[in-house]
Amino acid sequence: MLNYIAVAIGGALGALLRSIVYEYFAETGNVHLFPLPTLIVNIVGSILMGIGWFCLIEQSMLPAIWKNFALTGMLGALTTFSTFSLDSFRLLQSGQLLEALAYVLISVTVCFLGLWLGYQTVKWLVGA
């Protein structure tokens, strides 16, 4: 049960951090900065995921509950792109180059197409 609480607290913190970044950029009023908040949280989250993976998993520098708090909870809520990046890295790290490339290409392509399909479907359903 304690692991779930750690994930929940970390998730709340990650969501709050994402919101702070988005609010900061919204306050500038510059619409040309549109994708920048997402890019920033994805880059920072991926860097932190790399640091966390090395420190918490490979080196066991802290008790396992910190993995649940930081990697699953906080970074999972801040950005799932960091998890996507870690999954890709782990495939490369285990020598699965083709699988890593396929995972990246399939993830980006299919998720983008899924978003487009969902958007188009609901747009068609409401007659817009």
Side-chain angles (χ1 to χ4, degrees), residues 17-27 34-35 37-39 41:
L17 291 171
R18 177 193 286 264
S19 178
I20 289 169
V21 171
Y22 278 78
E23 285 296 318
Y24 171 79
F25 280 93
E27 289 175 6
F34 154 61
T38 302
L39 182 62
V41 297

Side-chain angles (χ1 to χ4, degrees), residues 103-117:
Y103 176 64
V104 169
L105 292 173
I106 290 168
S107 294
V108 171
T109 303
V110 173
C111 289
F112 180 77
L113 289 174
L115 182 140
W116 178 84
L117 181 63

Side-chain angles (χ1 to χ4, degrees), residues 1 10 27 43 48 55 60 84 89 92 99 115 117-118 120:
M1 184 59 127
E27 289 175 6
I43 291 170
L48 292 174
C55 293
S60 300
F84 166 74
F89 173 75
L92 286 173
E99 290 87 344
L115 182 140
L117 181 63
Q120 293 300 331

Side-chain angles (χ1 to χ4, degrees), residues 13-74:
L13 179 60
L16 180 61
L17 291 171
R18 177 193 286 264
S19 178
I20 289 169
V21 171
Y22 278 78
E23 285 296 318
Y24 171 79
F25 280 93
E27 289 175 6
T28 69
N30 186 345
V31 296
H32 299 292
L33 296 177
F34 154 61
L36 201 52
T38 302
L39 182 62
I40 287 171
V41 297
N42 285 339
I43 291 170
V44 169
S46 294
I47 291 167
L48 292 174
M49 184 65 83
I51 292 168
W53 182 260
F54 179 79
C55 293
L56 298 172
I57 304 303
E58 292 188 1
Q59 299 297 308
S60 300
M61 293 180 171
L62 293 172
I65 196 164
W66 286 98
K67 174 214 169 265
N68 294 317
F69 169 79
L71 303 186
T72 305
M74 186 182 76

Side-chain angles (χ1 to χ4, degrees), residues 78-93:
L78 178 65
T79 169
T80 57
F81 193 80
S82 60
T83 304
F84 166 74
S85 298
L86 176 62
D87 290 345
S88 304
F89 173 75
R90 291 179 65 197
L91 286 169
L92 286 173
Q93 196 175 40

